[in-house]
C-alpha cells in the first residue's frame, strides 16, 4: 500500500477528506460513496485565539448565508407592503402567522414575548435544512453541536425566565398536583429527568434526522454511480437506486419542513412551562 | 524513498483515526468555532427578526385587519343608512296612501251630497211642473166641459129650426138641453 504513488492518490483522494493516507486504496475505491464527506468541516479563514480554533468554516459560511437568506427574503417579500399579498408576501405572512398561532396556542398571550426568539429559531432551522437540500451545500443542522446549542437556548430561556418570573414556584413544575405523598419523590425524579432530557431529545431529533437523511441520499446516489460504472446490466440496475434517490429527495424536503415544525412546536410547549409552571 | 512509506503510514494512521473517531459531527475540535459563529449569526438573526422582519410583517397584517375592520364598519354604517332610508320611504308611502284614501273618501262624500242635492232639486222642479201641467189640464177639461152645453144648445137650435119651421127661443132650447143633460 505504501507503493502507490502518493501524488496520484493525493490528487484523487483530495476531494474526499484531508487524509491522503494509508487507507487511500479503500478511500479511492469508495471515494464516490463516502457518505460522511458532506459533513466535513473545512476551514475557509483560519482564526486561532489562544488555544481555541475559531476559524471561519464552511459551517459558519452557511450560517451566515442562512441568516442572510432569511433577512433578504423577508425584506424583499414585504417591500410592496401590499394589502392583497403576492406570492412571496403570502409565504412570509404564512411563516409569521404559523409561528404566532403555534406560540399563542401553546403558551398563551404571555408567551408572545418570545415571538422573536421562536420565529428566529424556526426560520433558522427551516432555512438551514432547506439549504442542505441544495447539492454541494453544507447542512448546518446536521451537526449536533449546532442543534444542541439551539436547544440549550430554548431550555435556558425556559429556566431563566421561569425563575425570574415565578421565583421558586417555577420548580413546582417538577411536583405535579394531585399525586399521593408517597409517590412525590418518584414522580419528581421522573419529572426532573424528563426535563433534563428535553435539550437532548430536541437537539438529537433534528441532528439525527438531517444526518440520516443526507447519508441515505448519498448512499443511494452512490449506488447509481457504482452500478452505472459496471456498464451493461449495471446501467439498467442503476435505475432502481436512481428512483429511490428521487423519492428520498422528496422525502428529505418533507423532513426539512417537518423537523423545523417539530422543533418550533416543542419550543413553544417548553416555553409554556416557563410562563405557566403549574401543571 | 525508504522513509516515505513510513511517513505515509504514519499520516495514514493518523488520518484513519481521524476518520474512525472523527465522524465529523462528533469532532470536538470544531465545536468552538461552530458555537462562536452560531452565536454571532443567531444573535444577528434575532436582532433582524425583532427589529425589522416581525414589525414589518406585523405592520402589514395589522394594517390589513384595520382596513377590513374599517370597511366592515363602513358597510355597517351604509347598511344602517339604507335601512333608515327604506323605513322613511315606507313611512311616507304609507302616509301618502292614507292621505289619498282620505281624499278619495272625502271627495266621494262631497260628490254624493252634491248629487243628492241636485237630484232633490230636479225632483222638486219636476213635481212642480207636473202639478202645473195637471192644473192646466184640469182647467182645459173644465173649460171644454163648459163649452159642451153651449155647443149642444146651438146644435139643438139648429136641428129644431131645420126639422121644424118653428123657431124656438134660445131660452127654451137651453132649458130643454139642460134638462136632457141633467138626466
Amino acid at each position: 500500500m505504501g507503493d502507490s504513488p502518493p501524488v496520484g492518490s493525493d490528487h484523487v483522494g483530495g476531494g474526499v477528506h484531508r487524509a491522503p493516507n494509508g487507507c487511500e486504496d479503500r478511500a479511492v475505491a469508495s471515494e464516490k460513496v463516502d457518505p460522511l464527506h458532506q459533513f466535513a468541516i473545512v476551514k475557509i479563514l483560519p482564526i486561532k485565539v489562544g488555544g481555541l480554533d475559531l476559524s471561519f468554516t464552511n459551517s459558519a459560511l452557511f450560517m451566515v448565508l442562512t441568516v442572510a437568506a432569511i433577512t433578504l427574503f423577508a425584506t424583499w417579500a414585504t417591500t410592496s407592503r401590499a394589502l392583497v399579498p403576492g406570492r412571496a408576501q403570502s409565504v412570509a405572512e404564512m411563516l409569521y402567522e404559523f409561528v404566532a398561532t403555534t406560540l399563542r396556542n401553546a403558551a398563551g398571550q404571555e408567551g408572545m414575548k418570545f415571538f422573536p426568539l421562536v420565529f428566529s429559531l424556526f426560520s433558522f432551522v427551516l432555512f438551514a435544512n432547506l439549504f442542505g437540500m441544495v447539492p454541494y451545500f453544507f447542512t448546518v443542522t446536521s451537526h449536533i453541536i449546532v442543534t444542541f446549542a439551539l436547544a440549550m437556548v430554548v431550555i435556558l430561556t425556559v429556566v431563566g425566565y421561569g425563575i425570574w418570573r415565578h421565583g421558586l414556584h417555577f420548580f413546582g413544575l417538577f411536583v405535579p398536583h394531585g399525586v399521593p405523598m408517597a409517590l412525590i419523590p418518584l414522580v419528581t425524579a421522573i419529572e426532573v429527568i424528563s426535563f433534563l432530557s428535553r435539550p437532548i431529545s430536541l437537539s438529537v431529533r433534528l441532528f439525527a434526522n438531517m444526518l440520516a437523511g443526507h447519508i441515505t441520499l448519498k448512499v443511494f446516489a452512490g449506488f447509481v454511480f457504482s452500478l452505472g460504472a459496471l456498464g451493461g446490466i449495471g446501467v439498467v440496475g442503476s435505475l432502481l437506486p436512481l428512483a429511490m434517490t428521487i423519492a428520498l429527495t422528496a422525502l428529505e424536503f418533507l423532513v426539512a419542513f417537518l423537523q423545523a415544525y417539530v422543533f418550533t412546536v416543542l419550543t413553544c410547549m417548553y416555553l409554556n412551562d416557563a410562563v405557566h409552571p403549574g401543571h | 524513498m525508504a522513509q516515505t512509506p513510513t511517513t505515509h503510514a504514519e499520516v495514514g494512521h493518523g488520518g484513519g483515526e481521524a476518520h474512525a473517531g472523527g465522524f465529523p459531527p462528533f469532532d470536538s475540535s470544531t465545536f468552538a468555532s461552530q458555537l462562536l459563529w452560531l452565536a454571532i449569526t443567531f444573535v444577528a438573526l434575532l436582532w433582524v427578526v425583532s427589529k425589522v422582519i416581525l414589525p414589518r410583517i406585523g405592520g402589514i397584517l395589522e394594517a390589513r385587519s384595520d382596513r377590513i375592520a374599517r370597511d366592515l364598519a363602513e358597510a355597517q354604517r351604509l347598511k344602517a343608512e339604507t335601512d333608515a332610508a327604506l323605513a322613511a320611504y315606507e313611512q311616507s308611502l304609507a302616509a301618502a296612501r292614507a292621505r289619498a284614501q282620505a281624499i278619495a273618501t272625502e271627495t266621494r262624500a262631497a260628490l254624493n251630497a252634491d248629487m243628492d242635492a241636485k237630484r232633490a232639486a230636479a225632483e222638486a222642479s219636476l213635481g212642480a211642473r207636473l202639478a202645473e201641467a195637471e192644473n192646466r189640464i184640469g182647467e182645459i177639461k173644465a173649460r171644454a166641459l163648459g163649452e159642451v152645453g153651449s155647443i149642444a144648445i146651438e146644435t139643438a137650435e139648429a136641428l129644431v129650426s131645420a126639422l121644424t119651421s118653428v123657431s124656438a127661443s134660445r131660452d127654451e132650447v137651453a132649458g130643454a138641453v139642460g134638462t136632457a143633460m141633467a138626466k
Side-chain angles (χ1 to χ4, degrees):
Chain A
M1 109 165 114
D3 283 340
S4 55
V7 180
S9 66
D10 200 331
H11 181 67
V12 179
V16 185
H17 43 73
R18 326 171 118 258
N21 51 39
C23 310
E24 62 203 357
D25 307 31
R26 216 176 44 200
V28 169
S30 64
E31 165 191 10
K32 292 241 169 64
V33 290
D34 177 6
L36 291 184
H37 171 237
Q38 56 182 322
F39 303 112
I41 302 262
V42 180
K43 285 176 197 167
I44 296 173
L45 186 71
I47 302 170
K48 232 178 166 77
V49 178
L52 275 178
D53 179 14
L54 301 175
S55 306
F56 188 80
T57 59
N58 54 346
S59 170
L61 173 67
F62 278 96
M63 291 175 192
V64 172
L65 286 180
T66 301
V67 171
I70 295 166
T71 310
L72 287 179
F73 171 74
T75 43
W76 167 73
T78 54
T79 31
S80 64
R81 294 169 185 269
L83 198 63
V84 179
R87 247 178 261 175
Q89 195 182 320
S90 289
V91 171
E93 287 176 11
M94 260 167 55
L95 295 180
Y96 180 100
E97 300 264 22
F98 159 69
V99 177
T101 317
T102 312
L103 184 56
R104 195 177 292 119
N105 287 346
Q109 195 53 46
E110 202 191 333
M112 288 310 280
K113 63 180 59 164
F114 300 112
F115 189 31
L117 174 68
V118 179
F119 189 89
S120 301
L121 282 169
F122 173 67
S123 53
F124 188 85
V125 173
L126 178 66
F127 274 68
N129 288 354
L130 288 178
F131 258 128
M133 290 309 295
V134 180
Y136 296 104
F137 277 27
F138 182 82
T139 315
V140 174
T141 43
S142 67
H143 276 249
I144 181 76
I145 188 68
V146 172
T147 60
F148 187 71
L150 292 176
M152 281 315 285
V153 168
V154 175
I155 299 302
L156 290 179
T157 306
V158 169
V159 174
Y161 181 80
I163 291 176
W164 175 76
R165 176 80 171 70
H166 300 282
L168 289 176
H169 286 291
F170 174 69
F171 295 101
L173 183 63
F174 303 121
V175 189
H177 291 298
V179 177
M181 266 319 247
L183 282 179
I184 280 196
L186 181 64
V187 172
T188 302
I190 293 174
E191 289 283 341
V192 169
I193 292 170
S194 97
F195 188 86
L196 291 180
S197 67
R198 279 174 179 185
I200 299 167
S201 71
L202 193 59
S203 54
V204 168
R205 183 181 301 110
L206 176 59
F207 152 72
N209 265 288
M210 299 320 290
L211 184 83
H214 281 76
I215 290 178
T216 320
L217 258 185
K218 189 79 169 210
V219 166
F220 275 97
F223 285 164
V224 180
F225 279 99
S226 349
L227 279 172
L230 296 178
I233 196 125
V235 174
V236 180
S238 70
L239 288 177
L240 218 63
L242 180 65
M244 195 68 187
T245 308
I246 292 169
L248 277 174
T249 306
L251 179 71
E252 280 311 300
F253 270 107
L254 178 71
V255 169
F257 277 102
L258 198 66
Q259 287 307 317
Y261 172 80
V262 168
F263 196 93
T264 310
V265 169
L266 287 176
T267 297
C268 292
M269 282 170 56
Y270 297 162
L271 284 171
N272 182 40
D273 286 342
V275 181
H276 311 110
H279 258 271
Chain B
M1 201 58 198
Q3 198 73 19
T4 325
T6 338
T7 325
H8 266 269
E10 263 177 42
V11 174
H13 188 62
E17 232 176 31
H19 187 86
F23 175 56
F26 293 156
D27 179 2
S28 60
S29 69
T30 66
F31 284 3
S33 110
Q34 290 201 70
L35 284 177
L36 171 74
W37 289 102
L38 178 66
I40 292 172
T41 52
F42 195 73
V43 167
L45 177 66
L46 206 56
W47 186 85
V48 170
V49 162
S50 54
K51 294 288 174 221
V52 183
I53 296 177
L54 293 188
R56 260 174 102 122
I57 304 180
I60 291 172
L61 294 177
E62 203 169 318
R64 181 176 308 144
S65 68
D66 279 0
R67 172 70 184 271
I68 289 171
R70 210 167 53 234
D71 285 3
L72 278 179
E74 177 73 4
Q76 194 69 37
R77 194 182 63 72
L78 287 175
K79 187 180 179 305
E81 233 167 58
T82 314
D83 284 351
L86 197 68
Y89 163 75
E90 294 279 5
Q91 202 180 358
S92 65
L93 192 69
R97 202 172 277 148
R99 227 174 59 223
Q101 197 84 31
I103 289 172
T105 319
E106 209 172 89
T107 313
R108 201 177 296 126
L111 284 175
N112 279 350
D114 193 31
M115 225 143 73
D116 283 352
K118 276 188 177 149
R119 193 163 55 222
E123 274 170 4
S125 88
L126 279 177
R129 272 162 63 188
L130 208 61
E132 195 188 328
E134 273 170 1
N135 271 352
R136 261 196 6 241
I137 290 170
E139 255 168 50
I140 292 169
K141 204 170 159 187
R143 213 171 49 235
L145 283 175
E147 276 169 9
V148 167
S150 64
I151 292 169
I153 294 166
E154 274 171 25
T155 312
E157 204 179 358
L159 280 169
V160 167
S161 62
L163 290 174
T164 66
S165 47
V166 181
S167 80
S169 77
R170 175 149 297 214
D171 292 337
E172 283 172 337
V173 176
V177 169
T179 323
M181 274 177 71
K183 273 184 203 169

